[in-house]
């Protein structure tokens, strides 16, 4: 989601046969694995968001700095990139369910340990180790796609995202209430215990009810020492299409822009604007609520008026919001800017994903997606690090001006080079 004010803002038994979980071609696709994943994501996301909203201020309270906060986010982004690639191979060659279940139970450990952590170095190390659980991301996406009928896949995914996010609309308020009434340290630590309980409940749900969808595993696994096969798989077209190149460059700039400010909205709001804990929780909760309301209509707008137009309008209107944030001096002004970030930014990602599919031949979509994942992870890492340096050493408002500049540069590439394809790839 582009430009949302979310901090660091997304799982054993014998594998059952894929025949037990075939995509439903009826009118009701919300069943089986889809219900399991929706329930699991909603429960785990609720607990996770209680604490993730307030991680930056808690990290600084333990003795960290804006720069070390950015460094932590940078390292996490790079490791996440590696884990996503590894997770994709595991999902396709060893099955989806196993890695989802293992990652779910692995994730339970960290909120519980956070509750007893009193040093920012240990907290940073644990946060980086926790990123290993993102290896289940490709398997989760694959099992959702496997479990939905193709003709209802877009609607199903959008509905799943919205339903999974509904509990998140109250989680930041609960976290803010705990911190405001019990103090930052005690309130955050109690929230960590709640998050651990919800993570365990989420893991137990997928352990009991999630079914494998990979019916026929490849006979031979990837032979990574076989360099010729690996090079053939990774080979990209030459010359690289200009439209795809412009789309990727603009996306990397948008990711960089959001990385530069994502961790520092709450720090600026607390230290400069003097927003209170519960007020910040209300702001983030209303962002979640508005995002859920606008997500599905946003996809319709892109299809009706053109993806390129929607992306350009989104980036150009979102760019000044960072500067508006630094000019805010009250809770109401911060709230207005935060909601503007949603209204202007929510349409970018769906349009980008669809446009990427339009430009990319089916046979190379996996490689293009992997390449985009790597470059965007590196971009987010550099943005977080540079944002932390600017916030700490130059001026707390500097990252938000960098955000505006990067967004405008992204719009330039889309306006000057990017064009709607005459024929969309199937």
């Amino acid at each position: 989601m582009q430009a949302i004010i979310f901090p660091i803002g997304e799982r054993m038994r014998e594998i059952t046969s894929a025949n037990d979980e075939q995509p439903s071609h009826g009118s009701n696709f919300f069943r089986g694995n889809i219900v399991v994943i929706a329930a699991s994501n909603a429960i785990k996301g609720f607990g996770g968001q209680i604490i993730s909203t307030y991680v930056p201020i808690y990290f600084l309270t333990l003795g960290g700095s804006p720069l070390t906060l950015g460094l932590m986010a940078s390292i996490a982004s790079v490791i996440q990139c590696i884990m996503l690639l590894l997770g994709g191979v595991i999902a396709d060659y060893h099955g989806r369910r196993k890695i989802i279940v293992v990652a779910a139970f692995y994730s339970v450990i960290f909120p519980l340990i956070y509750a007893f952590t009193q040093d920012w170095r240990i907290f940073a190390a644990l946060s980086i180790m926790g990123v290993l659980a993102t290896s289940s991301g490709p398997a989760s996406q694959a099992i959702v796609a496997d479990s939905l009928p193709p003709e209802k896949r877009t609607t199903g995914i959008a509905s799943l995202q919205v339903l999974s996010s509904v509990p998140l609309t109250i989680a930041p308020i609960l976290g803010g209430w705990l911190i405001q009434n019990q103090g930052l340290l005690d309130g955050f630590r109690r929230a960590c215990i709640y998050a651990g309980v919800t993570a365990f409940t989420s893991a137990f749900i997928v352990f009991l009810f999630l079914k494998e969808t990979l019916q026929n595993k490849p006979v031979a696994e990837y032979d990574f020492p076989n360099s010729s096969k690996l090079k053939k798989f990774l080979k990209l077209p030459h010359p690289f299409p200009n439209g795809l190149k412009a789309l990727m460059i603009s996306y990397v700039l948008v990711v960089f822009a959001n990385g530069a400010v994502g961790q520092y909205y709450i720090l600026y709001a607390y230290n400069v604007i003097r927003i209170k804990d519960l007020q910040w929780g209300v702001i983030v909760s209303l962002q979640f609520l508005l995002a859920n309301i606008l997500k599905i209509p946003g996809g319709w707008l892109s299809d009706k008026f053109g993806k390129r137009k929607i992306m350009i309008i989104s980036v150009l209107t979102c760019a000044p919001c960072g500067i508006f944030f630094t000019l805010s001096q009250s809770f109401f002004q911060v709230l207005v800017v935060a909601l503007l970030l949603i209204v202007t930014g929510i349409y970018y990602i769906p349009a980008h994903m669809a446009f990427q599919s339009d430009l990319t031949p089916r046979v190379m979509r996996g490689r293009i997606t992997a390449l985009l994942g790597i470059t965007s992870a590196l971009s987010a890492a550099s943005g977080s690090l540079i944002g932390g340096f600017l916030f700490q050493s130059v001026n707390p408002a500097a990252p938000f001006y960098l955000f505006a500049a990067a967004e405008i540069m992204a719009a330039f590439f889309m306006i000057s080079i990017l064009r709607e394809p005459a024929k969309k790839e199937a």
Side-chain angles (χ1 to χ4, degrees), residues 161-172:
Q161 290 175 345
V162 171
L163 290 170
S164 298
S165 300
V166 168
L168 304 186
T169 58
I170 61 173

Side-chain angles (χ1 to χ4, degrees), residues 167-222:
L168 304 186
T169 58
I170 61 173
I173 295 178
L174 177 58
W177 180 83
L178 285 171
I179 291 172
Q180 187 159 302
N181 285 275
Q182 300 184 20
L184 178 59
L185 293 178
D186 290 340
F188 187 88
R189 287 166 181 166
R190 178 162 293 186
C192 287
I193 295 174
Y194 294 158
V197 172
T198 58
F200 177 79
T201 304
S202 170
F204 203 63
I205 288 173
V206 295
F207 171 70
L208 287 179
F209 301 110
L210 193 67
K211 296 182 178 181
E212 180 60 69
T213 60
L214 185 63
Q215 185 173 9
N216 298 313
K217 299 177 184 178
V219 176
E221 298 179 1
Y222 259 121

Side-chain angles (χ1 to χ4, degrees), residues 15-50:
I15 294 181
T16 57
S17 169
N19 292 327
D20 294 334
E21 183 65 35
Q22 292 294 340
S24 168
H25 292 272
S27 58
N28 181 19
F29 55 76
F30 202 70
R31 61 175 67 179
N33 278 345
I34 303 302
V35 173
V36 174
I37 291 176
S40 175
N41 288 350
I43 293 171
K44 181 179 179 180
F46 173 76
Q49 195 61 47
I50 293 176

Side-chain angles (χ1 to χ4, degrees), residues 32 69 71 111 177 180 183 254 355 405 407:
L69 177 66
L71 180 61
W177 180 83
Q180 187 159 302
V254 168
F355 203 96
E407 294 270 299

Side-chain angles (χ1 to χ4, degrees), residues 57-375:
I57 56 170
Y58 183 74
F59 184 79
L60 266 62
T61 302
L62 293 180
S65 68
L67 183 58
T68 52
L69 177 66
L71 180 61
M72 179 181 74
S74 297
I75 296 172
S77 294
V78 174
I79 293 177
Q80 181 178 359
C81 169
I82 297 171
M83 297 313 299
L84 288 173
L85 292 174
L86 178 61
V89 174
I90 293 173
D92 284 346
Y93 283 83
H94 299 280
R96 286 73 153 104
R97 183 182 177 276
K98 275 186 178 179
I99 189 171
I100 293 174
V101 172
V102 171
F105 280 105
Y106 176 76
S107 299
V108 175
I109 302 170
F110 295 93
L112 299 176
I113 299 178
Y114 290 157
F116 303 99
T117 301
Q118 300 182 18
D119 187 279
W120 69 268
R121 300 171 188 85
I122 298 175
F123 188 92
L126 290 171
S127 297
I128 292 169
M129 290 172 61
V131 174
L132 299 179
T134 60
S135 59
S136 66
S140 295
Q141 294 180 34
I143 213 166
V144 168
D146 294 345
S147 303
L148 288 168
E151 68 275 8
K152 296 182 182 294
R153 193 165 285 155
T154 303
T155 304
I157 291 173
S159 301
L160 174 63
Q161 290 175 345
V162 171
L163 290 170
S164 298
S165 300
V166 168
L168 304 186
T169 58
I170 61 173
I173 295 178
L174 177 58
W177 180 83
L178 285 171
I179 291 172
Q180 187 159 302
N181 285 275
Q182 300 184 20
L184 178 59
L185 293 178
D186 290 340
F188 187 88
R189 287 166 181 166
R190 178 162 293 186
C192 287
I193 295 174
Y194 294 158
V197 172
T198 58
F200 177 79
T201 304
S202 170
F204 203 63
I205 288 173
V206 295
F207 171 70
L208 287 179
F209 301 110
L210 193 67
K211 296 182 178 181
E212 180 60 69
T213 60
L214 185 63
Q215 185 173 9
N216 298 313
K217 299 177 184 178
V219 176
E221 298 179 1
Y222 259 121
D223 184 12
F224 283 103
N226 190 330
S227 59
S228 61
K229 289 184 179 179
L230 184 60
K231 287 179 181 178
K232 184 177 180 180
F233 174 76
L234 295 175
K235 186 178 180 181
L236 295 171
H238 182 77
F240 205 75
N242 285 336
L244 199 53
K245 187 186 301 181
L247 184 69
M248 295 180 70
I249 292 173
S250 62
Y251 180 71
V252 164
L253 286 168
V254 168
V255 171
F256 172 85
N258 284 275
V261 295
Q263 300 294 314
Y264 310 108
Y265 278 112
I266 187 171
L267 299 185
Y268 192 93
Y270 268 59
N271 299 332
V272 180
I273 308 174
R274 302 298 179 184
I275 293 294
K276 296 180 180 179
D277 303 290
L278 189 55
Q279 289 177 325
W280 187 255
V282 170
I283 289 170
V284 178
S285 290
L286 289 175
Q287 282 192 309
F288 274 118
L289 178 61
L290 185 59
N292 282 335
I293 293 171
L294 296 179
K295 186 172 291 184
I296 295 176
W300 176 82
L301 281 174
S302 295
D303 288 336
K304 183 174 179 62
F305 297 105
K307 305 172 187 69
R308 175 179 176 271
K309 289 180 182 177
I310 293 297
M311 286 191 295
I312 292 172
I313 292 172
S314 175
V315 170
L316 287 177
T317 55
C318 200
C321 290
I323 298 174
F324 294 157
F325 183 77
T326 64
L327 299 176
S328 303
Q329 298 180 359
S330 67
F331 165 74
F332 179 75
Q333 291 174 346
V334 172
L335 176 61
V336 170
V337 174
L339 296 181
L340 276 176
L341 280 165
I342 298 298
V343 172
T344 58
I346 192 66
Y347 308 111
Y348 177 83
I349 290 297
H352 165 85
M353 293 174 66
F355 203 96
Q356 180 183 330
S357 297
D358 292 346
L359 292 173
T360 309
R362 181 186 294 264
V363 295
M364 54 184 292
R365 279 181 184 154
R367 286 166 286 170
I368 293 297
T369 301
L371 176 62
L372 191 61
I374 294 170
T375 54

